[in-house]
Amino acid sequence: MIKITLPDKSVREYEEGISGIEIAKSISNRLAKDVLSITVNGEVWDLTRGITGNSEIKLNTWEDREGKETFWHTSAHLMAEAIEAFYPGTRFGIGPTVDTGFYYDVDLPDGQQLSEKDLEKIEKKMIELARQKNDIKRNEISKSDALKMFTEKGDNLKTELISELEDGSITLYNQGNFTDLCRGPHLPNTEAIKAIKLTSIAGAYWRGDEKNKMLTRVYGVTFPKQKMLDDYLVMVEEAKKRDHRKLGKEMGLFAFSESVGQGLPLWLPKGAQLRAQLEDFLKKVQKKYGYEQVITPHIGDVKLYKTSGHYEKYGKDSFQTIKTPAEGEEYMLKPMNCPHHCEIYKAFPRSYKDLPIRMAEFGTVYRYEMSGELHGLTRVRGFTQDDAHIFCRPDQLKDEFKKVIDIIFIIFKALEFEDYVAQISLRDPENTEKYIGTAENWDKAEQAIIEACEEKGLNTVTELGEAAFYGPKLDFMIKDALGRSWQLGTIQVDYNLPERFDLEYIGADDNRHQPVMIHRAPFGSMERFVAVLIEHTAGKFPLWLAPEQVVVLPISEKYNDYAKKVLNFLNNSDIRTVIDDRNEKIGRKIRDNELKRIPYLLIVGENEAEAEMVSVRRQGQGDKGIMKLPEFKDFMTKEINEQLTGLYN
RNA sequence: GCCGGAGUAGCUCAGGGGUAGAGCGCAUCCUUGGUAAGGAUGAGGUCACGAGUUCAAUUCUCGUCUUCGGCUCCA
């Protein structure tokens, strides 16, 4: 007998060799029906695999990440089986799960291509195969047998994968006529897969390397019930309605023009207003934290970027240098603000008493992103960073870093961003030529970030090889409406630029010392931040940010004059107000302005005009009653203050 | 940059080898109204751009540009 410990710490005894599915049956029939995989001592297993010793287990259902992954992983195999049925001789790359669903990279024989039109027939085939209720069998196989088998099949992708595996740890999974190399785990039977949607098709380089062949990647998602798939598809449709590209156009926030060029956003009046509001907010916060605003030009001598290292690292992929009539003179559109800020630092001799110096600029930079990478406002070629550089003494570094984390949290709080990931990006010790600077400085910088995050009690994930070329960083990522993750705030520690620019200060010991730099941008870029903000709020911005805060709606043209008085009063009180004096009925005006997402609608007719009042309607909430004008003004001010209180004053 | 879609009115989209349609929006007029769509009339398109095939191309072919979904990249 062996002892099995369940997640609630209760212990049950079973025969040695008991399987997950048998344990589930012994607990309840319902669980036996719902269970998808079992976690045994932290490792996810097939339900049919025998357990040979005392173990801690967890039975995974659809509610568990591990359960879904098993389900989708098996779905990927089912899809592969369906594709092989139509295209015998297909070579299969990898078929993992993703956040929602799975994909498989395939290479069809004789240069055949899949297109979106083929997805439906593959879906149908998958349903047909699932209904055959084939058991899925796990087999351990020797490396040489595995190599032989896939060589015979002509699947060079799999043989490449096998050749990198350890002998003795290779497993195959078989269902019906389909066998695949796979670490598992899988469902016991394909019948659990009831609802299937193949969502898209895309090219993907083999092993993610652009020097390799491009395979066809088929994405899909499956569910144990049709209803769940239907709900999922509705959810995706809802998410598309929040897409910042759609809302940005609809709400008149920004536009693109072919004539101006790809990836170069045009901020329309309402978008510019929104952005200015965000900038003012951050300026106030930064003022409280001792920052000073600076302004630098949009171009700089190419020598500046040779000094910083940007030219060497990115010169080939940037906008090309700008020539002047003078022989040999070259300028670059600035891809970063830091070199300019270093030169501001150098404008004066600095004393240790001057530090830290915190230099902030809403600096517009230009980077030649690859054309396929451009995406609405989230990935553009010209954008404005809410940039700042902190020049400090090494003993001030950690404290300064922590203060920047505070600023980022102030912003997240003001905008109710609760669902973020904090990622520490360190250098890849295997690939040192990607970076500039000494190992010693890198160690110091990485250590400072790790300690600052610990002391702030921040939940972080750590990625090796994701650092900037001049230093490690802490990034904050937020998801958009479709679940894609975007990097917003970033804080980077840098010992290298101070060295390259010969930055120095005179210490208390009367010797020259080198300052440390922190690069930081809490929004990241105004463009990307606004994009994510639009998707978060579905365009319903908090009152303090809304480009138009109030719209006045006269009941009929008879009250237009009074409506204009209201309009002027509010605009003179710094409340952004517009008027809808179209020749329409009041119901129509309310509907149209609700749809424009204007926070407050003021209805004025005979009653209001006589009493110098307004009828207040809050967007999404309906009638709020009638108020005197100054009373309404206070009412609004109060709501704004509640949103911003304590954040910068 | 690479793979695969798409580009028709301001917007959302239908259509199809014989030079175009709907709804919404817009304009004008009627209506002057009380908390989510009042009515009538009308204007708007080199069917992304450039070549080719054809008696004839917006429709078919090729190229370019833009855009969408991915891959790769992201100072």
Side-chain angles (χ1 to χ4, degrees):
Chain A
M1 299 295 275
I2 55 170
K3 288 197 169 71
I4 297 294
T5 309
L6 301 177
D8 65 0
K9 297 297 169 202
S10 67
V11 179
R12 289 170 177 241
E13 293 216 336
Y14 292 98
E15 292 286 334
E16 179 153 355
I18 183 105
S19 69
I21 189 73
E22 288 161 337
I23 294 174
K25 273 182 197 156
S26 78
I27 295 172
S28 84
N29 283 335
R30 176 66 188 271
L31 185 59
K33 212 170 134 257
D34 288 348
V35 69
L36 299 170
S37 63
I38 179 170
T39 304
V40 179
N41 298 327
E43 202 175 303
V44 187
W45 280 23
D46 303 296
L47 285 173
T48 50
R49 192 164 159 193
I51 301 169
T52 52
N54 294 343
S55 303
E56 284 193 20
I57 64 136
K58 181 163 88 77
L59 292 164
N60 304 312
T61 68
W62 185 259
E63 300 309 315
D64 302 294
R65 181 76 228 167
E66 297 88 343
K68 278 199 186 79
E69 279 175 5
T70 307
F71 192 89
W72 284 332
H73 197 171
T74 297
S75 303
H77 277 217
L78 186 66
M79 181 171 80
E81 184 181 1
I83 291 172
E84 193 171 56
F86 287 114
Y87 308 95
T90 297
R91 290 178 289 274
F92 292 94
I94 55 166
T97 60
V98 290
D99 271 2
T100 309
F102 56 89
Y103 67 80
Y104 218 124
D105 284 346
V106 303
D107 186 19
L108 299 193
D110 315 318
Q112 292 182 84
Q113 290 291 342
L114 279 177
S115 80
E116 307 258 346
K117 294 173 199 76
D118 301 313
L119 295 182
E120 201 176 330
K121 79 177 182 195
I122 297 169
E123 271 170 27
K124 283 199 178 122
K125 190 73 178 178
M126 286 172 72
I127 295 277
E128 184 189 318
L129 292 167
R131 287 188 180 153
Q132 291 176 5
K133 304 190 178 184
N134 289 318
D135 283 334
I136 298 170
K137 296 183 218 62
R138 177 179 191 270
N139 292 302
E140 296 186 11
I141 184 173
S142 73
K143 187 165 177 173
S144 57
D145 285 352
L147 279 173
K148 191 166 156 233
M149 178 181 157
F150 282 97
T151 306
E152 275 167 16
K153 216 178 146 194
D155 194 335
N156 56 314
L157 303 178
K158 288 292 183 192
T159 54
E160 188 179 327
L161 292 174
I162 293 164
S163 63
E164 291 167 18
L165 293 175
E166 298 263 322
D167 198 5
S169 68
I170 297 174
T171 51
L172 297 178
Y173 278 83
N174 163 269
Q175 77 218 26
N177 295 320
F178 180 74
T179 301
D180 200 357
L181 170 80
C182 186
R183 193 172 44 205
H186 282 283
L187 303 178
N189 190 292
T190 55
E191 69 170 318
I193 302 169
K194 306 283 192 198
I196 300 171
K197 178 74 188 169
L198 300 187
T199 46
S200 72
I201 201 157
Y205 299 110
W206 170 233
R207 319 206 82 176
D209 187 334
E210 62 186 320
K211 291 179 204 77
N212 286 339
K213 178 167 184 178
M214 183 160 279
L215 309 178
T216 305
R217 176 168 297 179
V218 187
Y219 283 88
V221 63
T222 54
F223 295 91
K225 292 191 181 115
Q226 183 62 37
K227 173 78 167 59
M228 294 166 92
L229 173 59
D230 295 342
D231 289 348
Y232 168 76
L233 293 175
V234 168
M235 193 274 290
V236 169
E237 283 310 306
E238 287 302 311
K240 279 186 190 157
K241 288 183 193 158
R242 305 175 145 235
D243 189 315
H244 76 276
R245 291 166 297 192
K246 180 179 151 63
L247 289 181
K249 187 174 223 172
E250 206 174 290
M251 298 176 70
L253 299 174
F254 60 89
F256 289 89
S257 153
E258 284 190 29
S259 307
V260 173
Q262 269 191 298
L264 299 169
L266 305 171
W267 288 84
L268 309 183
K270 286 181 206 170
Q273 169 61 242
L274 173 66
R275 177 173 149 173
Q277 213 59 40
L278 286 166
E279 291 180 358
D280 287 348
F281 172 72
L282 182 58
K283 275 183 192 167
K284 284 180 186 159
V285 175
Q286 288 181 164
K287 194 171 176 194
K288 182 182 162 189
Y289 277 83
Y291 287 71
E292 299 167 296
Q293 293 292 134
V294 297
I295 297 171
T296 64
H298 285 220
I299 63 171
D301 194 302
V302 71
K303 290 187 214 108
L304 185 68
Y305 303 100
K306 285 185 176 163
T307 303
S308 70
H310 289 104
Y311 184 81
E312 186 199 347
K313 287 285 170 188
Y314 294 100
K316 285 192 300 297
D317 307 319
S318 296
F319 284 102
Q320 294 303 294
T321 52
I322 302 163
K323 299 238 191 310
T324 71
E327 187 67 29
E329 196 173 48
E330 283 184 296
Y331 287 84
M332 251 177 113
L333 269 171
K334 75 174 166 188
M336 285 287 277
N337 302 301
C338 31
H340 288 83
H341 290 184
C342 286
E343 292 301 320
I344 292 181
Y345 182 91
K346 286 175 84 169
F348 295 103
R350 307 288 184 175
S351 148
Y352 74 99
K353 294 178 195 165
D354 299 333
L355 303 183
I357 292 170
R358 308 183 190 91
M359 228 180 261
E361 174 175 18
F362 287 94
T364 304
V365 297
Y366 298 88
R367 298 176 184 178
Y368 189 79
E369 304 291 352
M370 288 191 290
S371 64
E373 211 25 77
L374 301 172
H375 181 98
L377 277 189
T378 54
R379 196 73 188 269
V380 287
R381 285 178 172 164
F383 57 97
T384 302
Q385 295 178 312
D386 55 325
D387 209 358
H389 295 93
I390 300 169
F391 301 87
C392 64
R393 305 191 305 260
D395 63 288
Q396 295 169 321
L397 174 63
K398 203 199 293 174
D399 228 38
E400 286 301 313
F401 197 94
K402 282 154 70 179
K403 283 188 206 157
V404 179
I405 295 179
D406 290 340
I407 293 180
I408 288 180
F409 281 140
I410 287 174
I411 287 165
F412 282 9
K413 189 169 163 229
L415 298 164
E416 292 169 8
F417 283 4
E418 277 143 20
D419 188 20
Y420 61 86
V421 173
Q423 176 183 305
I424 300 179
S425 298
L426 305 178
R427 70 196 192 280
D428 177 2
E430 309 282 302
N431 191 0
T432 48
E433 71 273 18
K434 264 171 75 178
Y435 312 101
I436 59 175
T438 64
E440 193 200 345
N441 281 344
W442 272 88
D443 287 340
K444 279 197 277 184
E446 292 182 351
Q447 203 50 38
I449 292 184
I450 292 166
E451 282 175 20
C453 289
E454 273 172 13
E455 287 170 28
K456 277 278 149 196
L458 207 58
N459 263 330
T460 56
V461 296
T462 302
E463 294 289 334
L464 292 180
E466 293 293 311
F469 75 85
Y470 50 73
K473 55 182 183 162
L474 173 67
D475 293 327
F476 291 83
M477 335 275 229
I478 298 258
K479 283 183 179 165
D480 70 10
L482 284 170
R484 289 173 296 215
S485 200
W486 295 97
Q487 180 202 307
L488 294 179
T490 180
I491 320 176
Q492 313 177 353
V493 175
D494 182 4
Y495 283 88
N496 292 309
L497 285 189
E499 195 161 317
R500 287 179 162 250
F501 278 92
D502 285 325
L503 304 186
E504 55 186 32
Y505 63 89
I506 308 297
D509 58 3
D510 202 27
N511 288 325
R512 289 163 195 273
H513 297 275
Q514 200 164 75
V516 191
M517 255 173 106
I518 297 173
H519 307 240
R520 43 108 280 175
F523 289 139
S525 84
M526 299 315 293
E527 284 72 9
R528 182 176 290 181
F529 193 84
V530 166
V532 173
L533 183 64
I534 290 170
E535 305 210 347
H536 252 262
T537 57
K540 293 173 188 160
F541 302 116
L543 184 58
W544 66 279
L545 275 179
E548 291 169 342
Q549 297 171 303
V550 176
V551 58
V552 187
L553 311 180
I555 294 277
S556 83
E557 288 174 1
K558 283 191 236 161
Y559 312 106
N560 281 358
D561 286 344
Y562 176 62
K564 279 176 190 151
K565 268 176 70 182
V566 173
L567 174 77
N568 289 334
F569 173 82
L570 292 173
N571 275 329
N572 288 336
S573 308
D574 273 335
I575 292 171
R576 297 184 290 277
T577 310
V578 292
I579 187 168
D580 182 355
D581 56 5
R582 290 176 304 163
N583 177 9
E584 292 291 350
K585 290 168 95 166
I586 193 67
R588 177 54 180 271
K589 291 187 189 179
I590 288 171
R591 176 184 156 78
D592 288 349
N593 287 287
E594 286 271 347
L595 292 176
K596 281 164 83 178
R597 303 174 178 80
I598 299 179
Y600 279 101
L601 281 60
L602 299 184
I603 292 138
V604 296
E606 189 170 359
N607 305 337
E608 290 80 4
E610 278 175 12
E612 296 265 300
M613 296 179 92
V614 290
S615 240
V616 180
R617 200 189 147 102
R618 174 82 223 217
Q619 115 98 23
Q621 294 174 15
D623 202 342
K624 290 278 174 189
I626 188 158
M627 289 180 208
K628 287 274 188 191
L629 256 185
E631 193 187 344
F632 172 68
K633 186 190 147 192
D634 294 343
F635 179 77
M636 279 205 43
T637 311
K638 189 163 164 251
E639 183 178 336
I640 291 173
N641 285 343
E642 273 167 17
Q643 286 171 337
L644 297 179
T645 280
L647 296 180
Y648 55 76
N649 46 17

